[in-house]
Amino acid sequence: MNEETTKNNDMQPTAEPMIEIIDLHKWFGDFHVLRGIDLTMHRKERIVICGPSGSGKSTLIRCINRLEEHQRGQIIVDGIELTNNLKNIEKIRAEVGMVFQHFNLFPHLTIVDNLALGPIWVRKVPKKEAEEAAMHYLEKVHIAEQAHKYPGQLSGGQQQRVAIARSLCMSPKVMLFDEPTSALDPEMIKEVLDVMIELAREGLTMIVVTHEMGFAKSVAHRVLFMDFGQIVEGNTPVEFFENPQHDRTKLFLSQILH
Amino acid sequence: MEAYVQKKSAETLKPPVTSVGVIGWARANLFNGWLNSLLTIVTLYFLWIVVPPLIRWAFIDSVWNTSGAVCRDADGACWSIIATNFRFILFGFFPYDQQWRPLIAILILCALLFYSRNRNHWTKHLLYAWIIGLVVMGLLMRGGLFGLSSVETTQWGGLPLTLLLSVFGLTVAYPLGVILALGRQSKMPTIKWMSIIYIELIRGVPLISLLFMGSFIFPLFLPEGVNFPTILRALVAIIIFTAAYIAEVVRGGLQGMERGQYEAAESIGLNYFLTMRLIILPQALKIVIPPTVQQLISAFKDTSLVVIIALFDLLKTSQTVLSNPEWMGFSREAYIFVAILYFLGCFSMANYSRKLEKELSTEN
């Protein structure tokens, strides 16, 4: 609680909505993955989504940058509604960063080229400038010395930090993390979480799907619990962990915290 | 279990003598086990039987620059057939006193190909060099300008024809094949089905039938008076045919790509064309370098099929020499010569593909 209050005011969420999700439904074939999600996220807000596997949390954040198509409801990102309009989709994707469970770096490009590619081709930044920015972000994730290697030569933790830097290079208005530490060896989880915590301290707007409850406690404004394609409960971390209301939340927490 | 703590770390030692040096190598690779030893001995015996007579035939007893009659008395190879008919084999019916023109054209082509081997040279200037080179080559071959006498394409033959059909056939077929492969993966049904129909139709017929169609059936559909040179029709047939095969090879590479690569590219806002150009194709095409080169080599050799529509490629000019009574019967020598030329072409392609694979490798 103390940590919350000592934080600078401009680190706090604003009243401006960043993402609005209204009655979102999605099916994979006959399977009803998302069953009416309503969620409003504000600028500078940090949301952690947890829940058992298959609960739809990854699908939800993948819908936000249209890696998955929703069939019913509305998603409005930064004032633009996601529809079939390709131009809008590309515009939104440029503003929404995404970090994947399996990093998905481009193996045929060096680290610095991985980072500079988006700014050069999407934002039309001159090559030299883009590379300088890339180096800046690599320093930020403490990996500048690897800039001219290829992704295959880096460890999992290093690759994930590069992936985070690649997203940052696009100066996204919001970043989505899809289980960023789930594919990592235990000793590498911390280095990635540390980077994410630093970003949180700088006021980055982020939605993180994760099972790292320590991370949720220390940086989230809100923790959401999803099960069977619905948001079952959402609260401040303190309330969420100390005073869960719903039975399914209690059960889930008892299974992962012990 | 007893507790164990290492007291002193192990020193770095040299490997045992038996495992290094020539003897070590021979023991490890030629004579490890009775089967391997037996194979080594059989192979050595086979080489002993074959190589010395071959050398005697090809070099020691051979004749190099004589008439056909002298050749018939010689014990060894009659390389005279090559030496005497060199220019006809290489240039076919190109006017004799003008044959320096195809020669220079070939040299320009080889120089350009050789210079293009190095990927660091792939700049705009190289593109201009190729454009200028192509114009000059065309001018040299066709003539009719700058005081060069005009030579009809029907008189083109031999090596320039083979190179023309293969170099242009392959360089046009490759990008066309890539486009077809992308078309086949397209989400748009019209494009997808058109690509599938094209690929399956073309793969379903032999190249020979395409060449026949191009030279005998296609002209029937043209209005009277309009006529394409046979070479162009053969070239188009080769391009159409090879592209279908390349398309399937490339599709294999595209299907080998992880979904995550598309998603990562899309998530930074790249559109379809940029995703393909910057992320997917560089990786997919790299994966399929070996089968692609396989396809190109096979297409290169298939250009010899154009003899059936009366084009005088390298193989046909050699055969023509053999039908001359003076040189009848020396087909071994003639075909060995042609085989060497084809081998040089195929081998340099294979070699280049290995070099390219190594250069593009991003693993350590």
Side-chain angles (χ1 to χ4, degrees):
Chain A
M1 201 61 209
N2 283 337
E3 207 179 320
E4 286 292 314
T5 47
T6 51
K7 268 178 194 159
N8 196 327
N9 254 348
D10 61 66
M11 293 294 128
Q12 293 304 311
T14 62
E16 233 180 316
M18 180 67 225
I19 298 170
E20 282 179 276
I21 298 173
I22 302 155
D23 191 31
L24 182 72
H25 289 263
K26 169 155 185 74
W27 288 262
F28 283 131
D30 280 340
F31 178 53
H32 200 173
V33 211
L34 298 178
R35 314 177 176 203
I37 304 279
D38 288 287
L39 176 67
T40 303
M41 185 201 202
H42 297 95
R43 271 179 219 283
K44 306 233 169 183
E45 191 174 6
R46 294 185 292 277
I47 296 179
V48 166
I49 304 177
C50 59
S53 60
S55 58
K57 39 194 202 315
S58 286
T59 309
L60 173 62
I61 66 167
R62 286 162 61 84
C63 281
I64 295 173
N65 68 350
R66 196 77 168 185
L67 291 179
E68 304 286 354
E69 208 171 308
H70 59 277
Q71 282 106 341
R72 224 173 85 190
Q74 279 181 299
I75 302 178
I76 299 157
V77 181
D78 200 22
I80 305 172
E81 187 181 346
L82 271 172
T83 57
N84 278 328
N85 184 330
L86 264 180
K87 282 282 150 246
N88 279 353
I89 293 174
E90 279 160 22
K91 217 184 280 173
I92 287 173
R93 281 175 175 162
E95 303 304 334
V96 178
M98 179 98 180
V99 174
F100 300 88
Q101 182 176 356
H102 294 286
F103 334 132
N104 298 347
L105 295 178
F106 306 129
H108 61 302
L109 299 175
T110 60
I111 301 304
V112 65
D113 288 343
N114 261 278
L115 267 68
L117 186 119
I120 291 174
W121 292 95
V122 179
R123 298 252 193 257
K124 314 283 182 213
V125 174
K127 190 164 184 282
K128 199 162 172 284
E129 220 171 283
E131 281 172 2
E132 278 165 15
M135 288 311 293
H136 165 76
Y137 284 110
L138 282 177
E139 268 158 37
K140 208 167 179 139
V141 300
H142 317 298
I143 205 160
E145 71 282 358
Q146 313 279 16
H148 297 288
K149 287 194 181 166
Y150 286 96
Q153 298 166 314
L154 269 54
S155 73
Q158 290 174 322
Q159 290 196 41
Q160 192 62 297
R161 285 186 280 145
V162 171
I164 292 172
R166 177 174 70 182
S167 277
L168 289 174
C169 270
M170 293 293 290
S171 326
K173 293 183 175 155
V174 53
M175 263 177 72
L176 311 173
F177 293 81
D178 187 3
E179 306 206 25
T181 56
S182 300
L184 296 175
D185 291 335
E187 75 269 22
M188 294 171 184
I189 291 178
K190 188 170 177 295
E191 66 187 56
V192 172
L193 287 179
D194 284 348
V195 164
M196 290 168 64
I197 290 170
E198 281 170 43
L199 294 175
R201 298 250 154 87
E202 288 168 26
L204 185 71
T205 311
M206 55 212 262
I207 303 183
V208 184
V209 171
T210 186
H211 296 293
E212 297 294 334
M213 291 304 127
F215 174 79
K217 279 180 193 162
S218 69
V219 307
H221 295 116
R222 252 200 293 177
V223 181
L224 304 180
F225 172 66
M226 274 183 78
D227 201 8
F228 295 110
Q230 303 147 68
I231 297 177
V232 175
E233 188 166 345
N235 216 331
T236 61
V238 179
E239 283 296 304
F240 182 85
F241 289 109
E242 282 169 17
N243 193 14
Q245 302 295 313
H246 203 286
D247 288 344
R248 287 214 298 263
T249 317
K250 288 177 193 167
L251 179 67
F252 177 75
L253 288 176
S254 73
Q255 279 163 343
I256 60 164
L257 301 173
H258 47 112
Chain B
M1 202 186 94
E2 223 176 296
Y4 171 77
V5 177
Q6 195 184 33
K7 291 205 178 69
K8 194 174 150 236
S9 74
E11 289 171 52
T12 311
L13 299 174
K14 284 215 167 107
V17 193
T18 46
S19 67
V20 293
V22 179
I23 297 170
W25 180 85
R27 194 176 283 173
N29 296 293
L30 299 179
F31 299 101
N32 62 338
W34 64 269
L35 182 63
N36 241 346
S37 309
L38 188 70
L39 286 175
T40 305
I41 291 165
V42 169
T43 310
L44 288 175
Y45 177 70
F46 181 75
L47 289 176
W48 174 250
I49 299 270
V50 172
V51 173
L54 193 66
I55 290 177
R56 191 173 317 125
W57 177 79
F59 300 107
I60 300 170
D61 293 344
S62 61
V63 286
W64 291 79
N65 209 349
T66 58
S67 70
V70 177
C71 260
R72 289 187 198 284
D73 298 328
D75 289 334
C78 171
W79 298 120
S80 313
I81 182 178
I82 310 298
T84 314
N85 300 294
F86 193 66
R87 286 177 65 171
F88 182 76
I89 292 176
L90 284 192
F91 302 119
F93 292 108
F94 208 93
Y96 194 78
D97 56 343
Q98 297 291 317
Q99 283 177 0
W100 57 272
R101 284 162 47 183
L103 178 68
I104 292 178
I106 290 175
L107 291 179
I108 294 175
L109 183 66
C110 290
L112 281 171
L113 285 174
F114 188 77
Y115 188 75
S116 309
R117 273 174 64 93
N118 188 338
R119 283 194 314 130
N120 295 334
H121 294 168
W122 294 3
T123 58
K124 261 200 188 118
H125 299 289
L126 183 64
L127 185 69
Y128 299 144
W130 267 101
I131 292 170
I132 295 167
L134 288 179
V135 172
V136 173
M137 280 185 261
L139 189 66
L140 283 167
M141 291 298 289
R142 189 67 180 77
L145 280 175
F146 304 116
L148 293 172
S149 60
S150 170
V151 178
E152 287 303 315
T153 54
T154 45
Q155 289 175 288
W156 296 7
L159 188 59
L161 179 64
T162 297
L163 287 177
L164 180 118
L165 290 176
S166 33
V167 172
F168 295 102
L170 304 190
T171 41
V172 179
Y174 186 70
L176 189 61
V178 173
I179 292 169
L180 281 168
L182 291 176
R184 195 169 181 163
Q185 303 275 54
S186 171
K187 284 187 192 132
M188 284 176 268
T190 335
I191 293 179
K192 180 176 171 149
W193 281 101
M194 271 165 46
S195 309
I196 291 180
I197 289 169
Y198 174 97
I199 293 168
E200 296 305 336
L201 267 186
I202 300 298
R203 283 206 305 169
V205 296
L207 177 57
I208 292 195
S209 68
L210 276 185
L211 289 169
F212 270 132
M213 278 196 266
S215 68
F216 301 119
I217 299 177
F218 176 64
L220 298 179
F221 296 104
L222 291 175
E224 225 166 302
V226 179
N227 196 14
F228 290 109
T230 319
I231 290 182
L232 192 62
R233 280 181 268 156
L235 188 60
V236 171
I238 289 171
I239 290 169
I240 287 176
F241 185 77
T242 311
Y245 281 83
I246 296 286
E248 282 302 277
V249 169
V250 172
R251 185 166 71 102
L254 289 174
Q255 283 177 340
M257 295 297 302
E258 280 173 46
R259 184 86 205 103
Q261 289 292 306
Y262 290 91
E263 291 182 350
E266 284 164 10
S267 76
I268 54 175
L270 294 178
N271 60 29
Y272 173 81
F273 291 101
L274 287 177
T275 302
M276 287 300 159
R277 183 180 143 199
L278 301 170
I279 308 301
I280 304 301
L281 283 178
Q283 296 183 64
L285 295 181
K286 189 179 100 182
I287 303 173
V288 296
I289 287 177
T292 306
V293 174
Q294 155 94 343
Q295 210 55 63
L296 296 181
I297 285 177
S298 139
F300 171 58
K301 291 183 292 189
D302 281 351
T303 57
S304 56
L305 287 175
V306 296
V307 293
I308 62 148
I309 54 169
L311 287 178
F312 275 70
D313 82 321
L314 192 56
L315 195 60
K316 184 66 184 170
T317 53
S318 315
Q319 280 174 335
T320 310
V321 170
L322 288 172
S323 60
N324 177 346
E326 188 186 350
W327 301 107
M328 232 175 244
F330 296 111
S331 48
R332 266 186 304 196
E333 290 84 347
Y335 288 138
I336 286 176
F337 176 68
V338 176
I340 289 172
L341 288 181
Y342 271 102
F343 177 78
L344 286 177
C346 296
F347 184 69
S348 32
M349 278 195 258
N351 219 1
Y352 183 60
S353 89
R354 265 199 306 274
K355 176 177 133 85
L356 205 56
E357 266 183 87
K358 208 184 274 174
E359 278 179 7
L360 294 176
S361 165
T362 54
E363 276 137 47
N364 297 318

